[in-house]
Amino acid sequence: ILVDGSGSMEGSNTYRAGGVVMNRLRAVRRGEAEVYVRFFDNSVWEDEFHAWDAASAKKCLSAVRNIDYHGGMTAIDHCARQATERIDAILAEGDTLAKPELFVVTDGQDGVRLTLNDLRGTTMHAFVLGNNSQLVTIARQSGGVGIETGEVYD
C-alpha cells in the first residue's frame, strides 16, 4: 500500500487514508493477506511497515497512526514504479505472495502517465480522495478498483 504523505493530505484525508490501511490490515488479521505499507511524496519514504499476522498488523496500525503528513510534492508515477520494483524484489527474495497488488491512496494532486507496462503485471487499486481520472483509469485497466471521491477534503 502506498499512502500519499504530502502536505496536501493533512486534515481529514489522513483519516480516510487510514481507513483504507485498516481495511487491508483486517484482511491480514483474518489470514487473507500480507501487507507492506509505505508513504510517499516525490519518492517512496524509507520506512516500510510489514504485517503478516495479527500481532504485526497491530504494530503496523500503530506506526501508521503516528505518521506526520509533511511531505513535499506528489510524484505518483515515480512512486508507483518504485513500489512495483519493491514488489519484484520481495518476490525475488522467495516470498510466496499469491497475488501481488498495489494500493495507491492519494488526494490525486499529480498528473499520471503510468502504463500497464510500468506495473509489470501487478494489479493496481487507486483510492483517490479527490479527482484523478488518469490514475483511476490505469487502475481499472490493470484489473483493479479505481475510485475517486470527486471531493476535495481539508
Side-chain angles (χ1 to χ4, degrees):
I1 303 174
L2 275 182
V3 180
D4 187 341
S6 67
S8 63
M9 286 289 290
E10 290 181 319
S12 59
N13 278 343
T14 61
Y15 299 112
R16 289 173 176 82
V20 174
V21 173
M22 284 177 40
N23 174 275
R24 298 315 313 147
L25 291 176
R26 283 187 192 123
V28 170
R29 293 183 62 164
R30 292 189 306 264
E32 299 169 354
E34 180 176 348
V35 172
Y36 294 80
V37 180
R38 291 183 74 180
F39 288 78
F40 75 100
D41 47 29
N42 58 358
S43 65
V44 176
W45 297 3
E46 185 75 25
D47 291 336
E48 180 176 84
F49 308 102
H50 180 200
W52 62 93
D53 63 12
S56 61
K58 186 175 180 178
K59 281 184 178 180
C60 183
L61 181 58
S62 177
V64 167
R65 280 186 186 152
N66 294 316
I67 289 295
D68 178 20
Y69 288 79
H70 66 283
M73 300 299 292
T74 307
I76 297 170
D77 285 352
H78 174 67
C79 294
R81 287 184 193 102
Q82 282 184 298
T84 302
E85 290 171 6
R86 177 65 180 129
I87 290 168
D88 289 346
I90 291 167
L91 293 171
E93 292 168 1
D95 199 317
T96 56
L97 298 177
K99 184 181 170 193
E101 298 175 289
L102 172 60
F103 289 73
V104 178
V105 185
T106 179
D107 59 10
Q109 295 186 17
D110 185 33
V112 174
R113 293 157 300 283
L114 283 171
T115 67
L116 292 177
N117 286 338
D118 292 324
L119 298 175
R120 301 201 298 260
T122 297
T123 300
M124 183 175 77
H125 306 281
F127 298 92
V128 182
L129 308 170
N131 295 297
N132 192 315
S133 61
Q134 300 102 336
L135 184 58
V136 167
T137 298
I138 191 68
R140 291 176 180 168
Q141 288 174 346
S142 77
V145 174
I147 298 171
E148 57 187 338
T149 65
E151 301 175 37
V152 178
Y153 300 100
D154 58 4

